[in-house]
Amino acid sequence: MKKKILALILARKNSKRLKNKNIYKLGNKPLVAWTFRILKKKNIRSLFTDILVSTDSIEIKKISENYKFLSPWIRPKNLSGRFISSESSALHALKWYEKNVKKVDALFLFQPTSPFRPQKKIKTAI
């Protein structure tokens, strides 16, 4: 039986040193779009039950919706500060997903600040 794996992208609008870094252009796309682009590929998309984007940015939310990824809320401020762990934000997103959509067997975290991932590495990790 195929495992239900939720792909989660945590994309905060600000960082300690670089405001709005996830929407800065890298080449011809916002940084976050590189992660979205690999997840949109059919052979990668099929590995996941769903793709959820957790962000505190209206602009990132709009970009994720253009890719037809689930982005149902703007992340609360208490989970968006520079001292908040990825773990806290991921658990918040996972709890929401399992309460409102369905239970999953695993969570696969994608960070937009690591935009160049070979497809083979994603498949190997799964």
Side-chain angles (χ1 to χ4, degrees), residues 37-78:
R37 190 169 156 238
I38 191 120
L39 287 169
K40 194 71 172 172
K41 292 183 185 253
K42 210 178 256 188
N43 62 329
I44 297 298
R45 175 68 185 93
S46 66
L47 300 171
F48 300 102
T49 303
D50 215 340
I51 299 169
L52 177 63
V53 179
S54 174
T55 185
D56 61 337
S57 165
I58 292 170
E59 191 165 348
I60 293 171
K61 183 177 181 350
K62 286 178 186 174
I63 296 168
S64 66
E65 289 167 349
N66 287 339
Y67 278 84
K68 308 240 185 300
F69 295 156
L70 185 59
S71 185
W73 72 85
I74 294 294
R75 191 185 315 159
K77 284 187 188 240
N78 67 322

Side-chain angles (χ1 to χ4, degrees), residues 9 22-24 26 28-40 60 63-64 67 69 112 115 117:
I9 303 154
N22 285 315
I23 57 174
Y24 274 5
L26 178 63
N28 60 348
K29 297 177 206 38
L31 179 60
V32 72
W34 290 93
T35 296
F36 291 173
R37 190 169 156 238
I38 191 120
L39 287 169
K40 194 71 172 172
I60 293 171
I63 296 168
S64 66
Y67 278 84
F69 295 156
R117 305 170 187 85

Side-chain angles (χ1 to χ4, degrees), residues 74-88:
I74 294 294
R75 191 185 315 159
K77 284 187 188 240
N78 67 322
L79 291 172
S80 299
R82 72 184 232 200
F83 297 111
I84 300 302
S85 68
S86 294
E87 178 186 4
S88 298

Side-chain angles (χ1 to χ4, degrees), residues 7-25:
L8 175 62
I9 303 154
L10 298 177
R12 226 170 24 105
K13 67 180 168 187
N14 291 322
S15 76
K16 186 175 171 182
R17 293 179 293 267
L18 192 56
K19 189 174 180 157
N20 294 313
K21 74 176 174 188
N22 285 315
I23 57 174
Y24 274 5
K25 297 279 184 179

